[in-house]
Amino acid sequence: MATVTKCEFLVVGGGISGITAAIQAARTGLSTILVEREMFLGGNSSCQLGVLSAGALNCNEYVSEAGIIGEIQERFSFYRARSGMAMSTLNPVVDQILWDLLDEAAVTVFNRHLLLDVNTEEDRITSVCLLNIENLNEFRVETGGFIMDATGDAHVACKAGAEVMIGRESKFDTGERCAREQADSVVSAASVVALVAKTESPSEFIPPPGTPKWNPEKPTSAFCPERGFSALFQADLGGADDALHPLKTPQRLHRELVKYIFSMWDYLKNVKYRDEAKNHRLIWISPVLGRRESNRIRGDYVLTQTDIETNRTFPDAVAFGGFNLDEHLPSLDGGYEVRFHSHPRPYDIPFRCLYSRNMKNLFAGGRAVSMTHMALMSVRVVQTLSSLAQAAALAAKL
């Protein structure tokens, strides 16, 4: 290990929640490092995937998560980085805006760096080992303070020996009305995003060999022939077993989802909109797999569907959510299998969900917050997770 770098607050994972936490921590005076494995910042909301910055406002028109996520959205708006497209963050300016915000807060960023290992002493994380993917240099980051696992998959937690949860809990264990009778290891389906552009001349689309036939009963409403650009994202797959799993076999799952994007576009262009889509061309498919769910860090409290739907209040509430409980069930034909369970009013999320119960300096960031599979359906959106990450970073300072 060639070099050692030190900080007081370390964030692993440069999605919106990780960025929010890093900015908050640095603004309070903590020396802060942010580690991201991709070249672009933003995670699922980067220009590599373009997931919308959804939150309570999507379902409750007078309620919106505020704080640093509000600053980010205002900056996006000022630089016209938000558009009317279905996926508003497919804009390369977004990455620069995020870099600027981090630079202004004096956050040290290591992008294109991979987490190799985590070192612990008793019930605390002392350092992490990183690999620079570009030149293969290895080094260690030490912290006497706190670490946030914002990897989306709880990689830091797993390597540190923190307690994690994965899969669907049983109704007996959680008391949730929509939980399974028996617990299983199934997680939510994953997605990819594609872009379609309207050109000045006709463009033929010949589906590659092995392209499956699209099920016309599945939704494809994201495509509109009248628009110059459309985003195709209503393709879901995986999560039911290890063969096509968002965490265990992501490369294979991405390849299969690409086939279903071809399948959807073949149906839209050559069947459903044969005349209207003559000049439309499939121009891009996201190189990043859109994972909705994998490992979650177990905290001192596990938020449930019942908590959300009964609008339970907590004495240690630090943020709120309000997005629909929409469950993306594993799909066998590449189309959406979304089950809408409820449209909750805004609900509290307690601080006890934001840290590991057995690793004393580990915070949960992003979709690794301590919650059940059913609660994740609502909490998993960008604005809600960003406000939770900001609260955790402030707690690190306190």
Side-chain angles (χ1 to χ4, degrees), residues 237-248:
L237 200 64
D241 53 48
D242 291 356
L244 289 174
H245 197 281
L247 184 60
K248 299 176 182 178

Side-chain angles (χ1 to χ4, degrees), residues 287-303:
V288 175
L289 180 67
R291 289 200 282 264
R292 291 183 176 87
E293 179 185 9
S294 55
N295 294 309
R296 305 182 300 280
I297 298 172
R298 185 180 291 276
D300 277 338
Y301 188 80
V302 180
L303 191 74

Side-chain angles (χ1 to χ4, degrees), residues 194-213:
L195 274 184
V196 170
K198 189 174 184 179
T199 61
E200 294 183 357
S201 58
S203 173
E204 185 180 10
F205 178 73
I206 302 173
T211 300
K213 289 295 182 182

Side-chain angles (χ1 to χ4, degrees), residues 312-364:
R312 180 178 175 183
T313 58
F314 295 92
D316 59 332
V318 290
F320 62 85
F323 195 73
N324 285 327
L325 272 89
D326 59 340
E327 187 177 13
H328 285 252
L329 299 166
S331 172
L332 299 178
D333 61 9
Y336 264 15
E337 289 287 350
V338 181
R339 182 179 297 165
F340 288 91
H341 295 283
S342 64
H343 182 149
R345 292 173 293 158
Y347 54 86
D348 284 353
I349 304 172
F351 177 65
R352 287 167 292 161
C353 294
L354 305 188
Y355 56 84
S356 166
R357 72 175 185 177
N358 71 312
M359 295 304 297
K360 299 304 182 184
N361 63 338
L362 176 63
F363 283 107

Side-chain angles (χ1 to χ4, degrees), residues 30-287:
L30 296 176
S31 58
T32 304
I33 290 176
L34 175 68
V35 179
E36 167 56 36
R37 69 181 177 185
E38 304 293 343
M39 189 67 80
F40 288 92
L41 298 171
N44 282 356
S45 294
S46 74
C47 60
Q48 297 184 106
L49 189 64
V51 172
L52 283 168
S53 182
L57 184 64
N58 291 73
C59 305
N60 304 274
E61 61 179 324
Y62 298 111
V63 181
S64 180
E65 298 91 339
I68 291 174
I69 185 62
E71 296 179 39
I72 292 172
Q73 291 176 327
E74 288 175 4
R75 196 77 67 99
F76 285 176
S77 296
F78 180 82
Y79 287 102
R80 308 296 189 269
R82 301 181 71 180
S83 68
M85 291 174 53
M87 294 294 175
S88 63
T89 54
L90 289 175
N91 188 322
V93 177
V94 165
D95 187 63
Q96 185 59 48
I97 291 169
L98 297 175
W99 274 101
D100 290 344
L101 286 163
L102 290 162
D103 288 343
E104 291 164 13
V107 176
T108 300
V109 180
F110 295 126
N111 63 326
R112 291 294 285 166
H113 280 70
L114 185 67
L115 176 74
L116 289 181
D117 203 1
V118 176
N119 301 307
T120 63
E121 289 183 6
E122 297 181 348
D123 57 0
R124 297 183 67 86
I125 297 172
T126 57
S127 66
V128 301
C129 301
L130 303 177
L131 171 69
N132 185 326
I133 301 174
E134 299 297 322
N135 57 27
L136 301 185
N137 286 341
E138 296 182 25
F139 64 100
R140 187 170 73 250
V141 177
E142 295 181 349
T143 178
F146 292 89
I147 294 178
M148 172 174 283
D149 187 337
T151 60
D153 301 306
H155 289 316
V156 177
C158 291
K159 284 186 171 292
E163 294 181 39
V164 298
M165 307 170 285
I166 192 169
R168 302 186 293 191
E169 297 84 1
S170 71
K171 187 173 296 186
F172 176 81
D173 291 331
T174 66
E176 297 167 315
R177 66 181 184 86
C178 296
R180 310 280 295 182
E181 292 299 327
Q182 299 291 329
D184 58 35
S185 59
V186 172
V187 298
S188 301
S191 298
V192 294
V193 177
L195 274 184
V196 170
K198 189 174 184 179
T199 61
E200 294 183 357
S201 58
S203 173
E204 185 180 10
F205 178 73
I206 302 173
T211 300
K213 289 295 182 182
W214 183 257
N215 180 354
E217 296 181 0
K218 292 301 176 71
T220 55
S221 58
F223 175 67
C224 178
E226 286 74 34
R227 288 201 296 259
F229 287 92
S230 291
L232 307 182
F233 58 89
Q234 292 174 307
D236 273 4
L237 200 64
D241 53 48
D242 291 356
L244 289 174
H245 197 281
L247 184 60
K248 299 176 182 178
T249 53
Q251 294 91 342
R252 182 182 177 190
L253 179 53
H254 185 276
R255 288 187 63 189
E256 292 301 315
L257 274 165
V258 168
K259 294 179 182 178
Y260 279 104
I261 289 292
F262 291 152
S263 171
M264 182 193 297
W265 183 233
D266 179 42
Y267 168 71
L268 290 170
K269 182 174 176 64
N270 297 329
V271 181
K272 186 175 182 178
Y273 298 104
R274 176 184 291 271
D275 296 326
E276 301 95 321
K278 283 184 178 180
N279 288 19
H280 289 73
R281 178 177 299 175
L282 180 65
I283 61 172
W284 176 84
I285 298 177
S286 61

